[in-house]
Amino acid sequence: MPTDSDTRRAGKPRAARASFAAAISTSLEWYDFFIYATAAALVFNTTFFATDSQVVAALNSFATVAVGFIARPIGGVLAGHFGDKVGRKPVLVAAIVMMAVATSLIGLVPNTQLVWLAPTILVTLRICQGLAVGAQWGGAVLLATENAPAGRRGFYGSFAQLGVPIGVVLGNVVFLVITAVFDSESFLAWAWRIPFWISLVMLPVAFVIHRYLEETPEFRELSKKLAEAPVARKSPILQVLRNNPGTVLTAAGANAIGVIFFYTMITGSVQFATTYLGIERSTVLGFILAACVLMIPLVPLAGYLSDIYGRKLIFGIGTAGMLLWGIPMWLMIGQSSQGTLWPFALAVFGAVIVMSFQTGTQGTLFAELFPPEIRFSGASLGYQISAIIGGFSPMVMVLLINGDASNAWRVGAFLAGAGAIGLLCLVAIVWKYSSPDVQQATARRSTVAV
């Protein structure tokens, strides 16, 4: 009879393949999603949304960024329904294809005298991006966590989260290369489109995942049980909303600080530094790139630590770190200039260190809050609701600064407030899942320990 160690060894190749596929797919998905935010900060505010006011132009441009975040929960709900009924893998493949097509079409949006046409097309395609990324997150996380060996779910699940820093690195590298090769006039005229066309490489990735990767063992087991004792299955999302609304809301509240923190760094700080501080665009992108490179090994390290010390503790360390770092971070950014760059560098490097503790654990933590039959729907909805809040953070940053660089501290105070709310929500999760009644109910419904 095979021992537990034999089972773990047999499952490692499958877990490694699934985690690698999750990392690749999410990296390309987030690359597509992030390059839009970068283009909104560097291009769209001076092309499609140019006005006499820098503040209004930036707000209009970042508003289209936020539209994608509004669409993400809808994508999560739709994907959760099919992911819990049909399977994790087909939903992930469909999301990858949708993202590739939508992003490449953004690169074809015409410069036209009809002032309403280009913004309308951009908003429509941004909605498609939001639907796609809302669908892919749950598929990638569950592909990694449900294939992971027992006791290693935090580590293997963290590879789905690697898409966040890798996507930023890929996007910034592409924009840095293009800004170095083309002059400013050519960049604004047409060269900004090249990063969007590159997204077509996602289509072969979708084919490989569809062709060579298996469905997760937990979903196969769930499907087998339903086949042996068929019952009319209720809508997974309705079950989540009926039985787990508090879990969804507290998960969203706990995670919101991470999304807000991240987007005020990779998008908001780019717009702020180039517009108000006079720092070169390539310099800002270079610092963001270097910080996200540092984040890549820190994310799986956080996942590994969560297997040893617990998800909630490591997640909480990241939340507390962002709360404490928010104000110093933006005070340093506000003191930066083209001649004094070290405060900006220290601010963003400190940011990725504290963020990594939360980023590396959030996928596995959210998955473990729900039983297998509604896990895709529950985890996706909690995560994507927090994305709506975070998606508006660059706009909030613009309003808080209000054209005056000395107001940068206000952004830090905003981050600290979001961090405090995140800690309260995490405490609620800890309290709820420390209850013996909840633990017994969870054990009956799922083989995954919270």
Side-chain angles (χ1 to χ4, degrees), residues 127-331:
I127 289 172
C128 292
Q129 279 194 318
L131 293 172
V133 81
Q136 70 82 26
W137 182 84
V141 166
L142 297 189
L143 195 70
T145 57
E146 292 186 348
N147 276 296
R152 302 295 302 280
R153 293 191 173 190
F155 175 71
Y156 282 95
S158 69
F159 281 81
Q161 298 296 97
L162 278 178
V164 174
I166 293 176
V168 176
V169 169
L170 293 175
N172 280 5
V173 165
V174 171
F175 269 105
L176 281 170
V177 170
I178 290 174
T179 54
V181 171
F182 298 97
D183 58 39
S184 181
E185 183 178 350
S186 298
F187 174 76
L188 292 175
W190 66 272
W192 65 267
R193 303 174 184 273
I194 296 174
F196 292 89
W197 297 335
I198 291 174
S199 66
L200 288 173
V201 302
M202 295 178 68
L203 295 177
V205 173
F207 172 77
V208 171
I209 292 176
H210 171 72
R211 179 68 178 82
Y212 296 104
L213 207 63
E214 297 179 352
E215 187 55 81
T216 71
E218 286 193 42
F219 185 81
R220 292 201 305 270
E221 182 65 24
L222 177 62
S223 299
K224 181 180 177 181
K225 290 179 180 179
L226 291 173
E228 293 173 351
V231 294
R233 293 192 66 189
K234 298 178 181 179
S235 167
I237 190 63
L238 291 180
Q239 292 184 63
V240 169
L241 295 177
R242 183 181 299 113
N243 301 324
N244 305 87
T247 303
V248 169
L249 292 177
T250 51
N255 192 62
I257 174 58
V259 184
I260 293 170
F261 210 89
F262 186 74
Y263 281 98
T264 53
M265 186 192 79
I266 70 158
T267 301
S269 69
V270 171
Q271 190 271 342
F272 179 80
T274 56
T275 302
Y276 299 107
L277 304 180
I279 302 177
E280 293 291 334
R281 179 171 53 209
S282 59
T283 302
V284 177
L285 292 178
F287 280 125
I288 300 295
L289 167 65
C292 288
V293 169
L294 172 64
M295 191 175 180
I296 291 173
L298 294 178
V299 167
L301 174 61
Y304 173 78
L305 292 174
S306 77
D307 286 328
I308 301 173
Y309 300 106
R311 322 279 183 238
K312 302 179 191 71
L313 176 61
I314 303 302
F315 189 94
I317 290 173
T319 304
M322 286 183 281
L323 186 160
L324 296 173
W325 189 245
I327 292 178
M329 171 186 174
W330 275 89
L331 285 175

Side-chain angles (χ1 to χ4, degrees), residues 35-55:
I35 59 172
Y36 187 98
T38 302
L42 299 179
V43 181
F44 297 160
N45 58 328
T46 59
T47 54
F48 300 128
F49 301 100
T51 69
D52 294 333
S53 169
Q54 287 183 337
V55 173

Side-chain angles (χ1 to χ4, degrees), residues 84-166:
D84 285 326
K85 285 198 168 186
V86 179
R88 321 311 195 192
K89 187 181 77 170
V91 171
L92 177 60
V93 170
I96 294 172
V97 172
M98 184 178 187
M99 178 64 88
V101 173
T103 305
S104 60
L105 289 177
I106 290 174
L108 299 175
V109 173
N111 292 320
T112 174
Q113 297 300 316
L114 298 174
V115 295
W116 56 269
L117 182 58
T120 301
I121 297 173
L122 280 175
V123 168
T124 302
L125 294 174
R126 181 61 175 173
I127 289 172
C128 292
Q129 279 194 318
L131 293 172
V133 81
Q136 70 82 26
W137 182 84
V141 166
L142 297 189
L143 195 70
T145 57
E146 292 186 348
N147 276 296
R152 302 295 302 280
R153 293 191 173 190
F155 175 71
Y156 282 95
S158 69
F159 281 81
Q161 298 296 97
L162 278 178
V164 174
I166 293 176

